[in-house]
Amino acid sequence: MGEAVRTTCAYCGVGCGISATPTGAREVTIRGDDAHPANGGRLCSKGTHLGETIGLTGRLLHPMIGGRRVRWDKALDLVAKRFRDTIARHGPDSVAFYVSGQLLTEDYYVANKLMKGFIGSANIDTNSRLCMSSAVAGHNRAFGEDVVPAGYEDLEKADLIVLIGSNTAWCHPIVYQRIQAARAERGTKLVVIDPRRTETCEGADLHLPLRPGSDVALMNGLLAWLAEQGMVDKPFMDSHVEVPEGFWKHLGTGHDLWTTARICDLDPALLRRFYELFAANPRTVTMFSQGINQSIRGTDQVNAIINVHLATGRIGQPGAAPFSITGQPNAMGGREVGGLASTLAAHMDFAPENVARVGRFWAAPGMATKPGLKAVDLFRAIGEGRIKALWVMATNPAVSLPDAATVRAALEKCPFVVVSDVIADTDTTAYADVRLPAAAWGEKDGTVTNSERTISRQRPFMDLPGEAKPDWWIIKEVARRMGWSGEFAYDTPADIWREHARLTAYQNDGARVLNLADHAAIGNSAYEAMEPFRWGGTPFADGRFPTPSGRARMIKVGQMELQAPLADWPLTLNTGRYRDQWHTMTRTGLAPKLARHREEPLVEVHPEDAAALDMKHGDLARVSTPQGNSTFRVLLSEGQRPGEIFTPIHWTDQVSTGGRTGLLPRPLVDPHSGQPGFKSTPAALARVDTEWKGFLILRGDEPARVPCLWATRVAVPGGALYEVAGNGDPSRIEFCLPKGERIEAIDDTRGTRRVAVIVEGRLAGVLFVTRTGILPPRNWLIGQLAVEGVGATVLAARGPGNQPDKGATVCVCFDIGLNQIVTAIREQRLVDVAGVGRALGAGTNCGSCRPALARIVTQTNEEVLDAAE
């Protein structure tokens, strides 16, 4: 066993510290880092099970040109030549980089420097454009700089926490646990503002299920009401805030409580209760995420929130701040170095003096002088032929961008596409002319910045496999081959870190909050030993802001007119994340335990809508929008507002014939930030009928292409489960079974067919299909993949004795199912989550399932009481 290595989690923007102890080749024990300020030893389900994702299944291990393995020199020479030739023929704006919040700060810095300082274009954008660029634009408009004015400790000091557009319990579980701990200790009030009733709402003091897109009206209405009540902090406003002409007059019309309630489709009594809670608790943190940012009015929504905090002086004080929480592990680091097309570097924009300053620092031969193309516009330019060479790094835009079919058409058309990635086969690498093998988590060496501006080290605890290389090394080697050897003479990530730190301090003179001067001359050993630290201290505590006047700026924003349902598209589609999955599942899809919470891509539908569409729980349904369509499994949910549906973003062509949410949203963007609106797309829903259903279980890692209408791959211990359904003859699926001893059972009455294949006494594959019968639970059969001496009895799909179905997995850490939990609650008369934990262990490890357990405890005990009456 090796020594524990302190590193940082690979997932969301909470930035949890991890202690990773290698226990063998590509094996590691994962624990939370007790000393890390972000999580204090806690980890969510995804972080807890990172050890299941570090194998080499599916890894890209060698440079590839087309389908040929080549030497690094050959691949790098080709990339440099094609980019150099394209620039010479068509100019610097004919090439682009599309990068990722999965990159480390050092990777980001080198990519940004190469594109903006040496190629001479700002056509470098990032998948972070899709999740937090509206927050960046809102911060810049209000504060003069992209500064998050809060830290996690503010959650412990607040008397009221408002979560708006954030399913925190699923998307940022450790933050949610900190909130719940503060509530238990201090009695902190919690308000959740979300069209959906998610697990974040469980136990909240108030839930406002507002109409999608009405957030500006809500916050303007709150501010108007506070002004009427005399709650505006006039001394703070007079000394520290600029108010545009006509601001208060604008708020005075159409923002009364009743009008606001009508626009937001809220009960006026609920709205008044929210207003009163806000007024009564000066220590308020308003935390927002994708529900605010991912809107075609996202920047205005951000500024509507900030306006309330500025007007009431709830900023720069303990427990009082607007708080944008980011989605990716290093979206913030990318923002710091300038990894967005709309920013230059080190929190500087494209003002001429900034371009000159950065040009001097880099000794750059041809600085970009204007913003580049943002993500959606960038891929539109590729489709139009204006961009002719593209380098994609650590992201999967063929899945994640809106109107993904158009993105794929653009990639197909692009003359030269390079993809640096960890995984060999993704929906995006399918379009690559060159694939470059990059370092993965556990192999990377550098820094990341989390949502509260804390910078942490990400350290390697495994050797690089095959010929994989760090992203910064790949980029600098291409830069050297393009003629800039001296300017990219980095030997270690510490070299890059020092240069980044020097640039943040260069001719800063206090004009920018981001200033890492203390790290500009840090030694290699100090870099290696770097402890987590937060830059910027407590921003704005002295009432000074990084604007020309030193004052913050109120921004006049108005509620856009909300679209009525359309005849052909009567529903509103919302999209988002699942608790145990991440982005496009290239990492989490490898972990069997993480697959159990939501095994298939589901469309969540209110029962009233399902009844009107003659649809029931478990059916297949096609979600259609003007952009495209895809099929999902139906989940009936009272948490959905009638007329609205929800689908997850994670599934790809690599794992499912359906669930392709990226095909559905409109490519419409916020006019300020360029962030797409993923939360409110006109849609239609229709049941998809099939003649048969079934499942296929295969041993081993080799993926299968199952030839039927519905097939979704689920990672399981020792292999994969495929849920399948379709029309016509299902026997063609048998071609997916391996060769070996076949055992079959056929029931023509029910249209049932069961086939198992045994190789050397072990189950190699099994297929169950039925037209009218009931399929057995999968768990026992999955367990047989690891059993020696399997025989014909495997077709019974159960072992001897009574083996009740545990139900859908709720607690992935201990593999505890819904039926087990309900039985324990009923039989042991459990009344709280702690009791369930003592009885079953559920919820006692990472804690991600605790909101679900709370809901199950409440519902089950209500059913018991109803039955007793």
Side-chain angles (χ1 to χ4, degrees):
M1 181 179 291
E3 293 184 3
V5 175
R6 293 180 67 198
T7 185
T8 311
C9 184
Y11 293 117
C12 75
V14 177
C16 294
I18 281 178
S19 175
T21 305
T23 57
R26 313 300 297 189
E27 295 180 353
V28 65
T29 297
I30 299 292
R31 292 181 59 255
D33 182 352
D34 294 333
H36 199 283
N39 60 315
R42 306 178 188 92
L43 289 177
C44 74
S45 56
K46 293 189 290 293
T48 297
H49 296 100
L50 268 166
E52 292 188 10
T53 71
I54 61 173
L56 297 182
T57 300
R59 280 293 295 269
L60 178 62
L61 296 174
H62 309 283
M64 306 288 289
I65 296 177
R68 294 182 298 112
R69 174 179 169 181
V70 298
R71 302 187 318 274
W72 264 111
D73 281 345
K74 187 168 185 177
L76 294 168
D77 288 346
L78 177 61
V79 172
K81 182 180 187 303
R82 290 296 299 268
F83 269 77
R84 189 171 55 241
D85 290 350
T86 301
I87 294 164
R89 183 173 301 177
H90 303 286
D93 287 336
S94 66
V95 302
F97 295 169
Y98 187 64
V99 298
S100 165
Q102 302 290 300
L103 295 177
L104 304 186
T105 298
E106 292 78 2
D107 305 324
Y108 252 128
Y109 180 87
V110 180
N112 191 58
K113 176 181 176 179
L114 174 58
M115 179 57 78
K116 289 176 181 165
F118 291 80
I119 290 176
S121 171
N123 284 345
I124 173 172
D125 210 37
T126 168
N127 62 3
S128 301
R129 177 72 58 190
L130 312 183
C131 66
M132 37 47 49
S133 55
S134 289
V136 174
H139 291 157
N140 283 326
R141 290 207 297 181
F143 307 143
E145 186 178 347
D146 177 23
V147 179
V148 176
Y152 298 144
E153 72 277 2
D154 287 307
L155 300 172
E156 280 99 22
K157 298 173 182 177
D159 296 318
L160 170 67
I161 298 171
V162 179
L163 300 177
I164 180 166
S166 173
N167 186 6
T168 318
W170 276 21
C171 300
H172 301 96
I174 300 306
V175 166
Y176 183 77
Q177 289 181 33
R178 292 184 70 152
I179 291 170
Q180 293 298 84
R183 297 184 70 205
E185 182 177 341
R186 301 184 68 251
T188 307
K189 301 294 184 183
L190 177 64
V191 175
V192 180
I193 302 171
D194 193 322
R196 304 168 62 222
R197 184 169 184 85
T198 67
E199 288 184 4
T200 301
C201 302
E202 296 301 322
D205 295 281
L206 185 65
H207 171 221
L208 297 182
L210 81 174
R211 183 181 179 186
S214 63
D215 303 85
V216 168
L218 177 72
M219 301 312 291
N220 278 356
L222 169 62
L223 183 52
W225 187 87
L226 291 169
E228 289 178 1
Q229 305 302 310
M231 299 294 295
V232 171
D233 188 338
K234 194 171 185 305
F236 180 83
M237 292 282 286
D238 290 344
S239 300
H240 304 298
V241 182
E242 296 176 3
V243 182
E245 185 176 353
F247 181 90
W248 295 111
K249 182 178 181 181
H250 164 69
L251 276 187
T253 304
H255 294 102
D256 60 275
L257 185 144
W258 300 99
T259 301
T260 301
R262 176 179 54 78
I263 294 171
C264 297
D265 192 23
L266 291 172
D267 182 340
L270 283 180
L271 190 60
R272 180 181 291 276
R273 174 63 178 146
F274 169 52
Y275 289 177
E276 291 171 345
L277 276 171
F278 200 97
N281 293 281
R283 288 181 178 239
T284 299
V285 171
T286 303
M287 180 172 278
F288 59 94
S289 190
Q290 313 307 5
I292 291 296
N293 294 330
Q294 289 182 334
S295 165
I296 59 174
R297 293 294 301 279
T299 304
D300 283 354
Q301 292 178 169
V302 170
N303 284 116
I305 293 169
I306 294 174
N307 283 345
V308 174
H309 278 265
L310 290 175
T312 54
R314 301 181 188 198
I315 192 167
Q317 305 299 320
F323 195 167
S324 162
I325 185 162
T326 52
Q328 294 193 80
N330 201 33
M332 288 285 281
R335 289 152 69 169
E336 291 160 7
V337 304
L340 292 160
S342 46
T343 59
L344 179 58
H347 281 195
M348 286 177 275
D349 61 16
F350 287 88
E353 62 273 20
N354 290 334
V355 172
R357 180 182 299 114
V358 176
R360 287 193 300 273
F361 181 86
W362 282 340
M367 285 290 297
T369 58
K370 64 182 188 302
L373 294 172
K374 303 179 181 80
V376 171
D377 290 336
L378 188 152
F379 280 87
R380 184 177 294 119
I382 296 170
E384 293 170 353
R386 291 185 284 131
I387 290 177
K388 301 177 184 298
L390 172 70
W391 190 349
V392 178
M393 305 178 196
T395 187
N396 201 357
V399 179
S400 57
L401 279 164
D403 192 12
T406 299
V407 172
R408 292 173 179 225
L411 289 167
E412 179 70 36
K413 183 177 179 179
C414 189
F416 188 61
V417 176
V418 182
V419 178
S420 305
D421 210 321
V422 169
I423 300 298
D425 297 314
T426 71
D427 290 24
T428 299
T429 60
Y431 299 93
D433 298 287
V434 179
R435 290 177 288 166
L436 304 175
W441 182 84
E443 303 152 10
K444 287 175 173 282
D445 189 3
T447 58
V448 293
T449 307
N450 72 359
S451 294
E452 61 165 359
R453 296 172 283 107
T454 293
I455 295 175
S456 303
R457 287 280 279 113
Q458 200 170 100
R459 296 181 175 92
F461 54 85
M462 296 181 292
D463 293 334
L464 288 164
E467 295 181 90
K469 296 289 186 181
D471 287 283
W472 66 264
W473 183 91
I474 301 171
I475 301 161
K476 70 104 171 178
E477 286 298 316
V478 170
R480 290 166 66 111
R481 284 164 170 79
M482 292 180 73
W484 301 300
S485 296
E487 295 85 353
F488 289 84
Y490 307 116
D491 294 321
T492 68
D495 296 335
I496 306 165
W497 170 256
R498 284 187 287 267
E499 184 175 313
H500 164 53
R502 288 198 302 272
L503 179 54
T504 67
Y506 182 61
Q507 297 180 352
N508 190 331
D509 301 324
R512 302 183 304 280
V513 178
L514 175 62
N515 188 334
L516 303 174
D518 290 346
H519 286 251
I522 189 173
N524 290 352
S525 59
Y527 176 81
E528 175 56 35
M530 184 191 297
E531 290 289 324
F533 72 96
R534 185 189 305 164
W535 61 262
T538 303
F540 319 142
D542 59 359
R544 296 182 60 191
F545 295 83
T547 61
S549 68
R551 294 168 174 252
R553 296 179 288 230
M554 301 282 278
I555 305 296
K556 185 164 63 175
V557 294
Q559 173 64 45
M560 69 176 181
E561 184 177 351
L562 298 177
Q563 188 178 49
L566 304 174
D568 292 336
W569 317 102
L571 303 174
T572 297
L573 170 66
N574 185 1
T575 71
R577 292 178 176 168
Y578 277 170
R579 186 189 78 188
D580 294 347
Q581 294 299 343
W582 176 255
H583 283 201
T584 61
M585 294 171 64
T586 52
R587 182 186 291 116
T588 51
L590 301 173
K593 285 190 176 181
L594 296 181
R596 306 314 303 273
H597 178 240
R598 291 285 188 273
E599 293 185 342
E600 297 178 282
L602 307 175
V603 55
E604 298 184 26
V605 187
H606 192 277
E608 292 178 8
D609 293 324
L613 295 166
D614 192 22
M615 196 176 291
K616 65 181 184 298
H617 182 84
D619 283 349
L620 294 177
R622 182 173 293 109
V623 179
S624 301
T625 72
Q627 291 69 240
N629 66 80
S630 194
T631 303
F632 298 79
R633 183 78 68 185
V634 173
L635 172 66
L636 300 188
S637 172
E638 295 278 358
Q640 290 294 124
R641 285 166 44 99
E644 298 169 15
I645 57 178
F646 176 88
T647 62
I649 64 172
H650 310 291
W651 273 260
T652 72
D653 287 351
Q654 309 305 310
V655 294
S656 184
T657 59
R660 288 289 290 103
T661 290
L663 298 171
L664 305 174
R666 300 173 290 184
L668 302 181
V669 301
D670 179 277
H672 305 286
S673 69
Q675 182 160 351
F678 288 101
K679 298 297 186 180
S680 184
T681 299
L685 188 67
R687 192 182 70 222
V688 174
D689 293 322
T690 58
E691 297 171 356
W692 52 265
K693 60 186 177 181
F695 61 85
L696 171 71
I697 301 172
L698 298 175
R699 180 152 51 91
D701 296 328
E702 190 66 27
R705 293 289 183 181
V706 185
C708 58
L709 185 151
W710 177 260
T712 295
R713 185 181 191 274
V714 183
V716 300
L721 161 70
Y722 296 82
E723 294 290 342
V724 297
N727 297 310
D729 185 2
S731 64
R732 62 186 183 275
I733 298 179
E734 294 184 28
F735 291 106
C736 297
L737 290 168
K739 294 180 180 179
E741 177 189 354
R742 290 172 66 96
I743 305 169
E744 300 184 14
I746 300 172
D747 183 347
D748 290 331
T749 303
R750 294 182 175 85
T752 296
R753 186 175 185 85
R754 300 185 176 194
V755 182
V757 175
I758 298 173
V759 177
E760 297 180 352
R762 297 186 62 190
L763 183 65
V766 62
L767 172 66
F768 279 47
V769 173
T770 185
R771 292 183 181 272
T772 61
I774 298 174
L775 292 167
R778 285 56 157 170
N779 288 332
W780 184 84
L781 283 167
I782 291 169
Q784 297 305 294
L785 293 175
V787 174
E788 301 282 353
V790 173
T793 56
V794 73
L795 294 183
R798 61 180 297 165
N802 182 29
Q803 296 178 330
D805 179 17
K806 73 181 186 66
T809 301
V810 176
C811 175
V812 299
C813 293
F814 297 110
D815 197 26
I816 307 297
L818 175 62
N819 295 345
Q820 294 171 292
I821 296 167
V822 170
T823 299
I825 293 170
R826 290 177 178 273
E827 293 181 352
Q828 301 180 44
R829 298 182 181 180
L830 307 177
V831 296
D832 56 21
V833 172
V836 174
R838 288 190 294 271
L840 300 174
T844 61
N845 188 35
C846 76
S848 297
C849 63
R850 288 173 191 158
L853 293 175
R855 173 175 50 81
I856 295 167
V857 168
T858 300
Q859 291 179 347
T860 303
N861 282 310
E862 287 176 351
E863 291 169 2
V864 170
L865 288 174
D866 290 344
E869 293 176 358

